[in-house]
Amino acid sequence: MTTIAVLSQKGGTGKTTAVRTFTDVFRRIGLRVLAVDLDPQGNLSDYLDVDPDAAPTIGDVLADRAKPAEAVHDGIIPANLGLAEAELVLGGKMGRELTLKRALRDLRADYDVILIDCPPALGLLTVNALVASDYALLSAEAQYFAMQGVEQALEVIELARDSLNPDLEWLGVVLNIADMRTRHSREAFESLREHFGEKLFDTTIRASIAYAESAERALSILEYRPDLAVDYLNVADELLRRLGMREARERLEALVGSRFAGTSA
Ligand SMILES: Nc1ncnc2c1ncn2[C@@H]1O[C@H](COP(=O)(O)OP(=O)(O)OP(=O)(O)O)[C@@H](O)[C@H]1O
Ligand SMILES: [Mg+2]
């Protein structure tokens, strides 16, 4: 059982799309996945087509108004704007950085992977995600300032490790929304490689309007544009290698061979 937080310092780097797509990929290879929406924007809940009125949500759990198990709806703990208020309440509590970790503790036995989608801020919610996780995965948009964003996110990971979660491991950084035909995407890749070496995933995720279109239709890119989905399948393969999940990797290979057959999320 492993918990992974997906984060970035900047907004709009493709975090939620990544969590949404990994949820689909991992479920197709038979892993039991819990997707946790930790962003008051509730994008992950939308992308996964959760009923907007689904209750309770992660905000209710963090504010002690609901039991974690009650907040799981079809393998997702959704979020809505109420999470912004819950974050404020959380700020005044003892053990405020540990609240999500405690909430997920009882659920861990039911899942192989818990994926946490962080908000675009390195505040208390993201700290809760990092304290509750075994691994952190960074997403960086292929832009000129990608480096700085990664460095700032790394500082927060370091902070979580030094204080409350010494076992937290950094899985690496994925260059997202990239157009490798352009010089600025290639330069972003090169500078990340130079600074972070193997921590930079070899696979980059291509920029395509198809991601916004598929999100609008609440479809996974595997269903909507299987040709583009190859990027995420390759990132998932690198991810499983970094996690040492050999059997899951073999199943992923079989899935790719069978052109993504099976159930979907
Ligand atoms: N590879 C891609 N190419 C082009 N657009 C993408 C790609 N991945 C995601 N997008 C689009 O970019 C926008 C932001 O993506 P997403 O919501 O995944 O980012 P995010 O990092 O979670 O954003 P936020 O910081 O607001 O939570 C969305 O409209 C999404 O559909
Ligand atoms: Mg998001």
Side-chain angles (χ1 to χ4, degrees), residues 12-17 37 39 41 43-44 47 117-120:
T13 63
K15 296 178 289 294
T16 304
T17 303
D37 191 349
D39 183 352
Q41 298 179 101
N43 294 146
L44 181 67
Y47 291 8
D117 182 32
C118 293

Side-chain angles (χ1 to χ4, degrees), residues 18 78 121 154 165 234 243:
L154 276 176
N165 189 5
N234 287 332
L243 291 167

Side-chain angles (χ1 to χ4, degrees), residues 2-8 114-116 118 126 129-139 153-154 156-158 160-161 165 167-174 199 201 239 242-243:
T2 195
T3 303
I4 305 168
V6 178
L7 72 153
S8 63
I114 298 178
L115 295 170
I116 306 174
C118 293
T126 296
L130 291 173
V131 171
S133 294
D134 304 298
Y135 297 96
L137 176 67
L138 293 184
S139 177
L154 276 176
V156 178
I157 292 174
E158 207 54 53
R161 206 180 359 227
N165 189 5
D167 296 330
L168 178 67
E169 278 188 51
W170 179 38
L171 275 172
V173 53
V174 178
K199 284 292 187 186
F201 280 59
L239 193 60
R242 285 163 198 240
L243 291 167

